[in-house]
Amino acid sequence: MSLKKISKDQPKNFQFSENSLKAANNIVKNYPKGKQQSAVMALLYIAQKQNNNWIPLSAMKYVAKFLNMPYIKVYEVATFYSMYNLSPVGEYFVQVCTTTPCMIRGAYKLVEACKEKISESENTLSQSGKCSWMEVECLGACVNAPMMQINDDYYEDLDKEKTLKILDKILKGDKPKPGSYRGRINNEPENNRKTLLEYKNA
Ligand code: FES
């Protein structure tokens, strides 16, 4: 897992758009009086969505002011969680899970594919500027390991060859089909097995 890369190119100002403001107010009102700071993660996520999928320092300051909390506390949250990007990412943002279940099922083959097709180092835009990748911690789809997330979609049950094909498609501007690449529906057992007994007799 790499350290967060904070962009040197920082916009001076940030403020919520009308839609973001509405979404932020809706979230903040769910918290009891005096506990609004607990909305910090959701508000950072809204800021990230608004700003082409990354959070500039000015957005952290804006969120801190919005929630009436110290900037350093917002900074700590934004720099801790891998779901927040602190430098520009590609239009196609590839996150490869390399936590243990994915790792033992071959996640580093997916990393190899990203290095070959996108860029040698993570958090670096591809030559076309369309795509970037990074390693992340568990994305909660371990039963379909190894897997990666591209923007809002999960691509599961992968190997290097399948990953290369998916990356070729996104680099051409196509949208590959998300889900299992071993033909499973969601995370159903393979070969229609329903019990461990069936597994034993298979
Ligand atoms: S370990 Fe990769 S999704 Fe959980």
Side-chain angles (χ1 to χ4, degrees), residues 97-103 137-143 145-147 154:
C97 170
T98 50
T99 301
T100 316
C102 280
M103 185 190 71
E137 298 298 336
C138 180
L139 289 170
C142 330
V143 75
M147 58 79 66
Y154 277 17

Side-chain angles (χ1 to χ4, degrees), residues 11-169:
K12 278 208 172 70
N13 299 308
F14 175 90
Q15 65 176 43
F16 278 149
S17 64
E18 207 179 307
N19 280 347
S20 300
L21 193 59
K22 213 164 134 193
N25 282 327
N26 272 340
I27 285 167
V28 168
K29 76 177 181 213
N30 291 329
Y31 292 89
K33 209 166 178 284
K35 303 287 180 199
Q36 284 77 7
Q37 294 181 359
S38 302
V40 62
M41 290 189 70
L43 266 58
L44 282 172
Y45 194 67
I46 291 171
Q48 174 163 279
K49 278 265 170 203
Q50 181 184 312
N51 193 60
N52 293 327
N53 212 11
W54 73 283
I55 304 175
L57 297 173
S58 52
M60 292 180 212
K61 287 178 188 154
Y62 179 88
V63 168
K65 227 173 178 180
F66 196 93
L67 294 173
N68 195 21
M69 63 195 287
Y71 165 50
I72 186 66
K73 288 207 165 183
V74 179
Y75 183 92
E76 280 167 1
V77 174
T79 50
F80 180 78
Y81 291 100
S82 67
M83 67 192 184
Y84 300 124
N85 304 315
L86 305 184
S87 52
V89 295
E91 180 187 336
Y92 296 99
F93 177 46
V94 179
Q95 298 175 74
V96 182
C97 170
T98 50
T99 301
T100 316
C102 280
M103 185 190 71
I104 58 180
R105 299 277 297 164
Y108 283 105
K109 292 283 172 199
L110 279 55
V111 168
E112 271 175 36
C114 290
K115 287 185 176 184
E116 282 174 29
K117 290 284 171 188
I118 304 172
S119 53
E120 183 55 36
S121 324
E122 57 181 332
N123 295 309
T124 306
L125 288 174
S126 61
Q127 265 183 350
S128 64
K130 263 187 171 290
C131 196
S132 62
W133 70 277
M134 71 179 289
E135 284 183 43
V136 293
E137 298 298 336
C138 180
L139 289 170
C142 330
V143 75
N144 288 12
M147 58 79 66
M148 65 184 176
Q149 179 176 356
I150 304 178
N151 296 349
D152 291 332
D153 291 319
Y154 277 17
Y155 296 80
E156 303 159 334
D157 292 330
L158 297 173
D159 57 23
K160 183 170 178 183
E161 200 189 326
K162 286 166 183 157
T163 307
L164 288 170
K165 281 188 185 151
I166 292 169
L167 297 179
D168 272 337
K169 282 197 176 170

